[in-house]
Amino acid sequence: MSGGGYRAMLFHTGALWRLNELGWLSKISTFSSVSGGSIAAGVLAHAWPDLQFENGFANNFSDKVVAPIRALARTRLDVPVTLRAMAVPWRSAGEELARVYANHLFGDCCLKDLDPASPQFVFTATNLQDGALWWFFRQNGPHGDIPLATAVAASSAFPPVLSPVIFRDPLSAEVGRKIVLSDAGVYDNLGLDPVEGHATVLVSDAGKRMKVKRKINRNWGQQLLRVLDIIDNQVRELRRGALLKSYVEKEFAGAYWGTYVDLENFELADSLTAPVELTHKLAETPTRLTKLPEVSQERLINWGYAACDAGMRRWVDTEAAAPDGFPFPAVGVG
């Protein structure tokens, strides 16, 4: 599950909703998540022991997963967290973000407390010290004492305002050695590394696309920002291109769906109605952790649900029945 702020969190919630209906949620062995996707994955991991699965379907998914995610989507986090961090100089914005996640979602749950009968949840972050990917997952030992809220905050610590998350490395022989982490999207916004070697890979992508600009400012500052956008866009496109090539060459099975897909390309006669001119507007929802109107939340969830449905029924579960409609039928996707 990719990054993308609350936009990604809600889009992936819709995808998880459809996977649950299809009976696939209970089949998944590993959830790898990035940034906004890690918020949704964290809520799912925290709720897993309370999910009531019958014939592979969790009948209380909406109460245990959708409801807390939507409650968070009604909460403005990025600006208040940044301001509080500025007021408390000995605590980084990322650490403040972890504190907020704990208050709203996870309490004092640590990685070692995640249900051992659940799938493996891998929350990825970027190590700013060596430029490598950092993984948080359920484990015993010193790293198991890391709070779930810290793992999710590190994965979603969007730089520079919500970054970094800093904690002491409990395995280091060097006294006081600290790990400095930032948003996983800096390294890989699809979170593909942890699922290498799996036979079936399902990818839900709510990442951004670089905006086309006809006029480019010549001053150094704005040119630099544009160059950074291009570098970021190149990394995303290389990752996505490599993924799609792996599907074509049958290195693994699975499906890719994202906020920018056109459902007509899945060639299903009974896919949900999702005009591309409307879904692209949802795809361009700002990448922030700030409160969204109820109707925007519902449309993003609907869009994730519809995109996942098309990808799964076209490429993975071809015998599955079409859904009766959107989770929130009154609003559609726009």
Side-chain angles (χ1 to χ4, degrees), residues 12 14 28 58 61 68 115 126 142 152 170 184 197 207 224 227 248 302 305 323:
H12 299 322
I28 295 174
F61 176 84
D115 187 357
T126 301
V152 174
L224 176 60
V227 169
V248 171
N302 282 348
Y305 180 97

Side-chain angles (χ1 to χ4, degrees), residues 4-330:
Y6 278 176
R7 177 187 68 214
M9 177 183 74
L10 292 161
F11 180 81
H12 299 322
T13 299
L16 292 172
W17 196 324
R18 184 57 180 149
L19 288 173
N20 181 49
E21 287 184 351
L22 291 168
W24 274 80
L25 192 67
S26 59
K27 297 179 183 179
I28 295 174
S29 63
T30 305
F31 288 89
S32 173
S33 58
V34 180
S35 195
S38 285
I39 305 174
V43 172
L44 180 63
H46 191 248
W48 196 273
D50 299 320
L51 292 179
Q52 299 168 356
F53 284 101
E54 296 181 8
N55 299 319
F57 170 76
N59 55 32
N60 60 342
F61 176 84
S62 182
D63 291 338
K64 296 299 181 180
V65 178
V66 179
I69 287 174
R70 293 201 63 189
L72 186 70
R74 300 182 186 106
T75 307
R76 179 178 287 110
L77 291 188
D78 47 10
V79 173
V81 163
T82 302
L83 292 176
R84 283 197 292 268
M86 291 172 63
V88 185
W90 57 87
R91 185 165 63 205
S92 73
E95 292 169 289
E96 177 64 21
L97 183 62
R99 189 187 68 81
V100 172
Y101 284 157
N103 289 341
H104 282 275
L105 297 173
F106 308 124
D108 58 1
C109 178
C110 294
L111 295 177
K112 66 182 180 183
D113 299 325
L114 296 179
D115 187 357
S118 73
Q120 185 65 274
F121 288 86
V122 183
F123 306 94
T124 60
T126 301
N127 189 324
L128 293 179
Q129 294 156 304
D130 60 12
L133 202 63
W134 180 279
W135 298 6
F136 293 96
F137 52 90
R138 180 184 63 242
Q139 56 183 304
N140 295 318
H143 278 165
D145 292 325
I146 294 173
L148 176 58
T150 297
V152 174
S155 184
S156 58
F158 189 80
V161 292
L162 296 179
S163 178
V165 169
I166 304 170
F167 63 92
R168 187 180 64 81
D169 185 358
L171 297 181
S172 176
E174 180 184 339
V175 177
R177 180 176 182 270
K178 293 183 178 180
I179 304 297
V180 184
L181 302 176
S182 188
D183 193 300
V186 174
Y187 186 93
D188 172 17
N189 201 52
L190 291 181
L192 294 175
D193 285 10
V195 297
E196 184 177 348
H198 287 63
T200 302
V201 179
L202 310 176
V203 178
S204 185
D205 182 10
K208 70 176 182 179
R209 284 186 179 175
M210 188 179 71
K211 291 183 178 180
V212 175
K213 288 186 176 181
R214 301 302 176 193
K215 181 180 179 181
I216 301 298
N217 290 292
R218 298 186 180 184
N219 68 76
W220 291 355
Q222 289 179 304
Q223 280 192 67
L224 176 60
L225 290 175
R226 186 61 175 174
V227 169
L228 291 174
D229 278 344
I230 293 171
I231 294 171
D232 176 70
N233 185 69
Q234 179 195 39
V235 172
R236 291 171 190 262
E237 288 303 307
L238 287 172
R239 288 276 186 176
R240 192 173 70 92
L243 170 70
L244 298 179
K245 182 181 178 182
S246 295
Y247 286 138
V248 171
E249 296 181 351
K250 301 188 183 304
E251 294 179 17
F252 44 74
Y256 167 92
W257 60 84
T259 50
Y260 283 97
V261 300
D262 184 347
L263 293 196
E264 290 189 2
N265 293 334
F266 290 94
E267 300 177 340
L268 294 172
D270 53 359
S271 61
L272 291 166
T273 302
V276 70
E277 63 271 15
L278 298 179
T279 58
H280 275 195
K281 289 180 180 179
L282 294 174
E284 293 168 1
T285 302
T287 308
R288 291 188 58 187
L289 303 181
T290 192
K291 62 182 179 181
L292 289 173
E294 299 293 306
V295 67
S296 297
Q297 293 182 35
E298 293 172 358
R299 286 173 177 166
L300 281 165
I301 291 173
N302 282 348
W303 178 216
Y305 180 97
C308 172
D309 171 69
M312 291 296 292
R313 290 198 295 118
R314 176 65 177 86
W315 297 111
V316 181
D317 196 350
T318 56
E319 299 300 318
D324 294 331
F326 289 111
F328 302 102

